[in-house]
Amino acid sequence: MQLQSLEADVLDQVAAASDEAALEAVRVATLGKKGSISERMKSLGAMGPEERREAGAALNLLKDKVAEALAARKMALQEAALEARLLTEKIDVTLPVRPQGQGTIHPVSQVWEEVVQIFGDLGFAVAEGPHIEDDFNNFTALNIPPEHPARQEHDTFYFNEKPDGSRMLLRTHTSPVQIRTMLASKPPIRIIAPGRTYRCDSDMTHTPMFNQIEGLVIDEITHLGHLKWVLAEFCKAFFEVDDVKMRFRASHFPFTEPSMEVDINYTREGGRLVIGQGDSWLEILGSGMVHPNVIRSGGIDPGKYQGFAFGMGLDRIAMLKYGIPDLRAFFEADLRWLRHYGFRALQVPTLAGGLT
Ligand code: PHE
């Protein structure tokens, strides 16, 4: 009888507990070390065997019932709490954007997306690599051995020496992604790799951090003609003109042979730059056929495979396309500048819908 009234009492308390803390208090008061049920368990020791068996079974039953009731109540309370929280966190996504809080898409993000769209349409995938690189991927594997003069030209940011004497660095170009991609995949390869790059350099047209976009195609028959066609298609789509004149100038990069720098034609109309007209030239990228040593470093047989690569300044083509004069302003996070040069957030560039 006593146990029955205890049970009824405890179950009432469980049902009445209005939050998890109250429920925990009921648990401690019953099943806790000094709880009412635990105390009764202790008294079993003083009973005779027959009496103990009976009382023990009844107590264990009660204990299980209470534990079950506690667990069920806990679950119900948690569900109710979640329900209440979801109600308070409800947002109405159909509400219009507040005009004063409207941000803009940075020209670099915009151009990045445009470039991905254009090359995506040509069958290129997007590849990535880390900003903190090792010497192998940034230099050696790209046919720039230690002591090569090209290393000086890169104004590299180095990290402190590691115990083994090696130093990590901030990648000076996106070309290490060529190596990483070749090592990680099999030809045919067709990728672009947009991303941040770093050089210790700062003036009107140089910032210590800037963005490049790398291109790499490796397969059995790809040749210079393909490179020229891809770049011409890109320029027309990107600058949104029917025709761009391109000038391929012989140049030198350790990782391509032959190497070419590419200029496009432009003219000025009242201070504004017009791409694809006139006969002044603007350099926009470096390119060439991937050097056999680089293909070999990428774990691919240069006797069987060949291809082209190019590297373009993303910020630079953004400046050209949108008539932005000073590169440094790109990275000053000045809201007035962003409101002037930025893009509407919901206007995602697509080839079908228009790039800008
Ligand atoms: N990595 C070169 C640079 O930063 C650009 C480049 C890439 C040139 C690929 C040729 C081929 O200047």
Side-chain angles (χ1 to χ4, degrees):
M1 262 340 274
Q2 243 187 347
L3 275 193
Q4 270 174 15
S5 70
L6 176 63
E7 177 180 329
D9 187 36
V10 171
L11 293 182
D12 277 351
Q13 286 181 40
V14 170
S18 57
D19 56 30
E20 284 194 60
L23 194 65
E24 176 64 5
V26 177
R27 189 192 66 80
V28 171
T30 51
L31 302 181
K33 247 195 193 138
K34 295 216 162 64
S36 49
I37 297 177
S38 309
E39 289 293 344
R40 269 165 218 254
M41 286 285 199
K42 282 180 210 157
S43 68
L44 288 177
M47 297 176 184
E50 192 67 15
E51 196 187 358
R52 184 191 307 152
R53 193 172 315 121
E54 224 170 274
L59 264 179
N60 271 325
L61 204 65
L62 173 61
K63 199 174 136 189
D64 290 347
K65 262 192 193 164
V66 170
E68 215 171 279
L70 283 167
R73 181 73 187 142
K74 186 167 184 177
M75 182 89 87
L77 284 173
Q78 280 173 344
E79 266 169 27
L82 180 63
E83 201 65 29
R85 211 180 105 201
L86 285 176
L87 271 178
T88 63
E89 287 178 3
K90 193 166 76 175
I91 50 164
D92 183 353
V93 293
T94 64
L95 282 176
V97 176
R98 290 194 195 92
Q100 69 273 27
Q102 220 166 23
T104 67
I105 300 296
H106 195 286
V108 168
S109 307
Q110 176 78 15
V111 162
W112 181 310
E113 200 49 50
E114 290 176 24
V115 169
V116 168
Q117 286 292 326
I118 295 168
F119 280 106
D121 193 52
L122 292 172
F124 285 72
V126 174
E128 283 181 319
H131 300 180
I132 298 176
E133 261 298 4
D134 57 22
D135 186 277
F136 176 78
N137 287 310
N138 197 81
F139 291 126
T140 309
L142 288 163
N143 202 28
I144 315 177
E147 314 309 328
H148 191 287
R151 291 202 176 202
Q152 268 80 63
E153 287 160 31
H154 278 226
D155 301 312
T156 314
F157 286 113
Y158 283 101
F159 288 83
N160 291 337
E161 260 184 36
K162 295 202 269 193
D164 68 2
S166 67
R167 286 187 295 177
M168 298 299 278
L169 49 86
L170 289 174
R171 66 178 183 190
T172 57
H173 48 181
T174 41
S175 300
V177 184
Q178 288 189 31
I179 304 299
R180 288 179 174 276
T181 306
M182 284 192 273
L183 287 173
S185 48
K186 287 204 182 75
I189 292 171
R190 226 184 279 167
I191 57 113
I192 54 166
R196 292 185 171 193
T197 49
Y198 305 82
R199 288 184 204 176
C200 189
D201 202 355
S202 185
D203 59 37
M204 265 279 280
T205 51
H206 298 91
T207 49
M209 190 282 296
F210 57 105
N211 294 280
Q212 281 194 339
I213 167 156
E214 194 79 10
L216 176 70
V217 172
I218 300 283
D219 64 21
E220 291 177 35
I221 55 154
T222 297
H223 54 68
L224 262 187
H226 295 128
L227 168 61
K228 291 172 82 169
W229 181 83
V230 163
L231 293 177
E233 285 304 300
F234 168 74
C235 285
K236 281 190 282 182
F238 180 74
F239 291 108
E240 299 176 85
V241 290
D242 293 331
D243 207 16
V244 193
K245 275 190 235 155
M246 304 184 88
R247 185 166 74 173
F248 291 83
R249 264 182 303 108
S251 180
H252 176 265
F253 300 102
F255 30 91
T256 46
E257 180 59 37
S259 303
M260 307 174 305
E261 279 174 306
V262 179
D263 304 336
I264 53 173
N265 70 320
Y266 77 100
T267 185
R268 272 184 201 284
E269 265 172 24
R272 207 169 63 87
L273 219 64
V274 185
I275 307 282
Q277 286 176 34
D279 46 18
S280 303
W281 297 101
L282 269 172
E283 182 196 323
I284 58 159
L285 61 91
S287 65
M289 295 303 290
V290 181
H291 197 290
N293 288 350
V294 175
I295 297 184
R296 202 173 294 117
S297 303
I300 294 173
D301 176 9
K304 183 163 179 211
Y305 293 101
Q306 58 178 23
F308 63 76
F310 57 86
M312 198 161 34
L314 201 70
D315 316 302
R316 185 169 164 75
I317 60 171
M319 290 169 77
L320 295 178
K321 180 166 179 180
Y322 294 112
I324 308 172
D326 187 345
L327 176 65
R328 287 171 300 194
F330 272 62
F331 309 115
E332 279 168 1
D334 184 331
L335 209 51
R336 291 162 305 176
W337 184 89
L338 268 172
R339 293 230 164 95
H340 183 77
Y341 287 111
F343 295 83
R344 295 236 321 271
L346 295 176
Q347 224 165 31
V348 180
T350 62
L351 287 185
L355 289 179
T356 41

